[in-house]
Amino acid sequence: MNPSRTDFREAMAHLPAAVNILTTDGPGGRCGITLSAVCSVTDDPPTVLVCVNRGSAMHDVFKANGRVGLNVLGGEQQELALHFAGATKVAMAERFTWDVWDRTHDVPVLSEALVTAVGTIKDAVPMGSHSVLFVEIERIRTRTGGQSLVYFNRAFHQLDAAPRVPEGATA
């Protein structure tokens, strides 16, 4: 017997995940969404998968543009996560006027994200209510220091990096 949608969603709420904002810009329009369904696929070529709800108005914008910016949020960026989740009702165009964007790429990326990656959608595979977008990463920047923003049990949490263990030390 298959689990119900409610059981599945409850189980997935207990799966801690990094909080990300996926952005795009191009002939299809400019938009961004908060999501946690992001996963590394391979490092040769560097590729991640991103799951986007096919019922979202932004789904077709991402596919039409084919270019995306993946922003892994730091612990202090919870408010941005809420804006791009649509929880604050701030218009999409206004979100891109804020002084938080690095505008040196063809897609918007956050200046202070923990990680930013710019890439091209190489494939989109429909799976139930979502599309799995396979994105080949062409540029990446990692910020040193700071906390990570994690979604767990239907709430945001700030996660500190584990202290480094000195070489030669044993646990």
Side-chain angles (χ1 to χ4, degrees), residues 28-96:
R30 180 188 298 165
C31 68
I33 57 172
T34 299
L35 46 78
S36 61
V38 175
C39 180
S40 170
V41 175
T42 179
D43 63 359
D44 189 20
T47 305
V48 297
L49 68 78
V50 179
C51 299
V52 177
N53 191 319
R54 293 191 296 158
S56 165
M58 289 170 274
H59 175 271
D60 292 344
V61 177
F62 286 111
K63 285 186 66 177
N65 289 340
R67 299 276 299 155
V68 296
L70 178 64
N71 301 274
V72 181
L73 300 185
E76 74 285 358
Q77 295 177 310
Q78 178 176 330
E79 191 174 328
L80 282 171
L82 291 170
H83 289 305
F84 281 90
T88 61
K89 309 298 183 204
V90 173
M92 184 66 70
E94 184 179 342
R95 298 173 200 170
F96 288 101

Side-chain angles (χ1 to χ4, degrees), residues 5-16 154:
R5 287 180 69 188
T6 302
D7 290 343
F8 181 76
R9 288 179 175 204
E10 182 64 21
M12 292 301 101
H14 289 82
L15 179 66
R154 296 184 170 85

